[in-house]
Amino acid sequence: MTTLYIRDVPEAVADILKERAAAQGQSLSAYVNAQLAQLAARPTNEEIVARLRSRDRDESLTTARIIAELEAARR
């Protein structure tokens, strides 16, 4: 595991993080670690765009198919 040191964290930010960690029954380190894991799990805009561009457009929905699906759902 890697150890990260974060410098120059404003006191107000540190206080809020400590309060949130305590409310979750976690240490500050465990709380920040979980928050960083969530942040890292989210794709960047660039990754989303790349994923969308890599899709096979031949299988995209047509207007007729969308209308048919909507009509079927209404029944």
Side-chain angles (χ1 to χ4, degrees):
M1 276 232 185
T2 300
T3 300
L4 297 177
Y5 296 98
I6 303 173
R7 295 186 177 122
D8 302 322
V9 176
E11 236 5 85
V13 172
D15 290 343
I16 290 169
L17 292 173
K18 288 175 188 175
E19 289 174 12
R20 290 180 182 174
Q24 296 291 320
Q26 295 179 309
S27 67
L28 177 59
S29 180
Y31 179 79
V32 171
N33 190 353
Q35 295 301 309
L36 288 173
Q38 286 181 358
L39 179 64
R42 289 183 4 213
T44 65
N45 288 342
E46 292 82 11
E47 291 168 336
I48 292 170
V49 168
R51 215 180 293 161
L52 290 172
R53 286 187 175 146
S54 70
R55 285 189 177 175
D56 183 6
R57 303 249 184 230
D58 292 337
E59 296 180 17
S60 64
L61 294 174
T62 63
T63 303
R65 183 170 170 201
I66 293 170
I67 292 171
E69 293 288 334
L70 286 172
E71 289 174 350
R74 291 182 183 144
R75 294 181 195 147

